[in-house]
Amino acid sequence: TFNEPVLWFEYTLETSILAKEMELHTNYVTNGSITPEAFDMISPFLDIFVQRFRDSRCDPAHTCMVMIG
């Protein structure tokens, strides 16, 4: 399992910035609760953004992956 990173957005934003300064790759796996404003803030510091969500008509979970940059 994993924890929803949006719950501590400020921490994940700061660590993503530091990781990129160290030339590390970054990714974000979320259930989709991130706002457009928050996504705009963090996306310059992400290599991959994965939004996982469940469709009540389907099982297992569908995944939408966006490669950034």
Side-chain angles (χ1 to χ4, degrees):
T1 71
F2 67 93
N3 291 317
E4 174 58 48
V6 177
L7 295 177
W8 46 79
F9 179 77
E10 293 81 5
Y11 175 77
T12 59
L13 176 62
E14 290 176 19
T15 55
S16 295
I17 292 168
L18 293 172
K20 296 313 285 181
E21 288 174 358
M22 298 175 64
E23 299 182 9
L24 298 172
H25 295 285
T26 58
N27 69 60
Y28 217 69
V29 180
T30 177
N31 64 13
S33 62
I34 192 167
T35 66
E37 295 82 9
F39 179 78
D40 289 343
M41 288 177 65
I42 200 165
S43 64
F45 309 103
L46 299 177
D47 296 299
I48 298 174
F49 178 85
V50 178
Q51 179 179 341
R52 300 199 64 159
F53 59 93
R54 288 208 180 265
D55 184 328
S56 62
R57 298 165 294 174
C58 302
D59 194 50
H62 290 253
T63 300
C64 174
M65 182 181 298
V66 177
M67 303 293 285
I68 299 175

